[in-house]
Amino acid sequence: MTAHDSHMTQSDLFAWSMEQDPNLRSTIVTVMLLDTEPDWDRLLRMLDRGTRVVPRFRHRLVAAPWGLTPPRWTPDPDFDLRWHVRHFALPEPADLASVIEFARTEVMSAFDPARPLWRLTVLGGLDGGRGALVLKVHHSLTDGVGGIQIAGEILDFSRAGTAHASVPAPARSEGGVLGDIVAWNWSAGADLVRAGWAALPPIARRAVTNPVGAVRDGVAMAESLLRFARPITRTLSPQMTGRSLGRRLTVLEVPLEPLHGAARRAGCTVNDAFLASILIGLRVYHSRHGHQVEQLRVAMPISLRRTGDPVGGNRITIARFVVPVAVDGVVDLMRALGSTVERWRREPAIPLSNAVAAAFNRLPVGLLTSMFKHVDFIASNVPGSPVALYVAGAKVERVFAFGPTTGTAFNITLISHTGTCCIGINSDTAAVPDPAVLAECLAGGFRVVAELDGGGHESPAPVDQS
């Protein structure tokens, strides 16, 4: 690990700084429903190994004097696994609603910044002898894909257990504060020089051989950076306008195959079917409140993860863009969304998101927080496990992830697990005062899209949390 890698990225620092406004906290809470309670000792051994596989789970953030570098990931000298792992028995009636309510309190509470930014709670006493895990992590520790990678490294593929290679304890980093500041800035400068040196020959050649094209490319990049980083000052939804610190969590279960089938019929992706389902549901939701909506603005994670990157870590950037709602025909809507998303994935500015964040990090935080509160919703689609997974002898039946709202009305995250789309909705109570109605409308959107596939699949519906 280089000195550069041992610090928060500029993108993570930007998100971390925005948390001066608690509405912009980057907390992820994942709920795993289990068919039985996990074995406590096995669970602790699993987690001990997991924090060795991903050492950042043993690190805390230490700020540099006068902000001369981003905060540094430093081994916690007081790391205590049992502080991060708790075991509670839920009071009766212990059911899914009890688990979701506990997860809601985790979503709304802040981390202790003096310790590693995660906590796992085992919930026992559920009906039928079942159990649940509620994992709370800061987004800087991992993104959705990184979380699935971590699960594959530490979870089992059978109830009896899976042999995993032993992992040594991570080495402690050495060096004083001054040396760290010098090393980080040297590393950051060297990276910049290497990138510029690598880019110089093709730029020079293009300037000589095709000066008009070179100018056109420069203009295109400038326009792309403007689209990517421009402030958002107007909420498109006429209904979901309020913002608060209150959160409500709801879940949906949707069979995966109908979404696959609908996507195939339209020549689109499952993500296109996912987005279309949401927008059809939101069209109905707004109609129930007496509003007609033509467009909404979504924030969508775009992965920057590359082959060879370490397990875990936050390697996404967030693109914010307008999507159509009032498109007649499900297929036409899916195709329009597919074109929009693909265009954003190819934006020239996307690979430069860390540099954009570095520029923002030099501005007063108060100037920037409001630009996040006019995006209507966040949507994230994370491919999960197609095979059964086990945690310390307990089978994982469902996995629901509740991503941060980050100033939007709600975050909706889909994780596929053994043929079922587990959908977690984290909504702001000021923007969505009736989360059950929103969930019902979204379930209706998934039914509409699934009908493209035919085949008589089970219709999606909100999971009973009462």
Side-chain angles (χ1 to χ4, degrees), residues 3 8 33 54 61 91 114 169 186 222 231 255 269 320 354 392 407 415 429 439:
M8 262 191 163
L33 301 179
V54 190
L61 283 170
W186 177 268
T269 67
R320 303 162 298 151
N354 204 50
I415 294 182
T429 54

Side-chain angles (χ1 to χ4, degrees), residues 175-264:
V177 174
L178 180 59
D180 176 68
I181 292 172
V182 172
W184 183 87
N185 282 279
W186 177 268
S187 178
D191 286 350
L192 184 62
V193 169
R194 279 193 296 269
W197 187 258
L200 185 58
I203 292 174
R205 285 196 300 270
R206 186 159 175 76
V208 172
T209 60
N210 186 3
V212 174
V215 172
R216 188 183 301 119
D217 289 348
V219 172
M221 174 60 79
E223 292 174 341
S224 180
L225 285 167
L226 181 61
R227 285 191 294 271
F228 180 75
R230 73 186 186 283
I232 305 298
T233 58
R234 183 171 67 92
T235 307
L236 293 181
S237 169
Q239 173 63 29
M240 305 183 301
T241 56
R243 298 294 184 265
S244 71
L245 296 182
R247 298 292 181 268
R248 288 291 301 274
L249 307 184
T250 48
V251 297
L252 301 173
E253 292 182 12
V254 176
L256 177 59
E257 184 50 40
L259 286 188
H260 266 302
R264 284 193 299 266

Side-chain angles (χ1 to χ4, degrees), residues 134 246 444:
V134 179

Side-chain angles (χ1 to χ4, degrees), residues 377-436:
F377 68 100
I378 299 176
S380 181
N381 171 26
V382 181
S385 175
V387 299
L389 297 173
Y390 297 82
V391 178
K395 184 179 182 180
V396 179
E397 295 185 329
R398 295 289 185 267
V399 182
F400 296 103
F402 302 96
T405 60
T406 321
T408 67
F410 68 91
N411 179 308
I412 179 168
T413 300
L414 180 157
I415 294 182
S416 56
H417 181 71
T418 61
T420 297
C421 297
C422 303
I423 299 172
I425 307 165
N426 177 13
S427 56
D428 186 317
T429 54
V432 184
D434 48 1

Side-chain angles (χ1 to χ4, degrees), residues 65-324:
W66 307 293
L68 293 176
T69 73
R72 182 184 183 188
W73 294 105
T74 304
D76 180 5
D78 301 313
F79 179 74
D80 183 350
L81 181 63
R82 289 176 181 265
W83 187 90
H84 292 273
V85 186
R86 305 175 299 173
H87 190 182
F88 295 149
L90 290 171
E92 294 184 356
D95 53 14
L96 176 60
S98 305
V99 175
I100 296 300
E101 177 61 20
F102 180 86
R104 186 176 80 92
T105 63
E106 291 290 85
V107 164
M108 294 192 297
S109 59
F111 287 98
D112 179 355
R115 297 179 183 271
L117 304 175
W118 68 279
R119 184 164 61 196
L120 178 73
T121 304
V122 181
L123 297 178
L126 274 73
D127 52 334
R130 297 178 303 139
L133 298 182
V134 179
L135 175 62
K136 173 180 178 176
V137 300
H138 193 270
H139 214 324
S140 59
L141 292 183
T142 188
D143 53 32
V145 174
I148 296 300
Q149 287 180 339
I150 294 170
E153 285 282 342
I154 65 176
L155 299 187
D156 297 322
F157 298 100
S158 72
R159 198 179 295 274
T162 302
H164 292 288
S166 60
V167 181
R172 291 186 177 273
S173 58
E174 301 293 338
V177 174
L178 180 59
D180 176 68
I181 292 172
V182 172
W184 183 87
N185 282 279
W186 177 268
S187 178
D191 286 350
L192 184 62
V193 169
R194 279 193 296 269
W197 187 258
L200 185 58
I203 292 174
R205 285 196 300 270
R206 186 159 175 76
V208 172
T209 60
N210 186 3
V212 174
V215 172
R216 188 183 301 119
D217 289 348
V219 172
M221 174 60 79
E223 292 174 341
S224 180
L225 285 167
L226 181 61
R227 285 191 294 271
F228 180 75
R230 73 186 186 283
I232 305 298
T233 58
R234 183 171 67 92
T235 307
L236 293 181
S237 169
Q239 173 63 29
M240 305 183 301
T241 56
R243 298 294 184 265
S244 71
L245 296 182
R247 298 292 181 268
R248 288 291 301 274
L249 307 184
T250 48
V251 297
L252 301 173
E253 292 182 12
V254 176
L256 177 59
E257 184 50 40
L259 286 188
H260 266 302
R264 284 193 299 266
R265 277 180 173 260
C268 296
T269 67
V270 170
N271 190 64
D272 302 331
F274 171 55
L275 270 180
S277 302
I278 297 169
L279 292 174
I280 292 169
L282 285 175
R283 186 164 59 198
V284 174
Y285 180 75
H286 281 80
S287 178
R288 286 197 182 186
H289 288 278
H291 298 292
Q292 301 299 316
V293 61
E294 298 289 324
Q295 296 177 317
L296 291 171
R297 184 174 285 108
V298 62
M300 178 171 287
I302 294 179
S303 179
L304 303 176
R305 193 171 294 274
R306 298 171 297 182
T307 303
D309 281 342
V311 173
N314 184 26
R315 291 178 173 81
I316 61 169
T317 189
I318 302 295
R320 303 162 298 151
F321 51 92
V322 173
V323 287

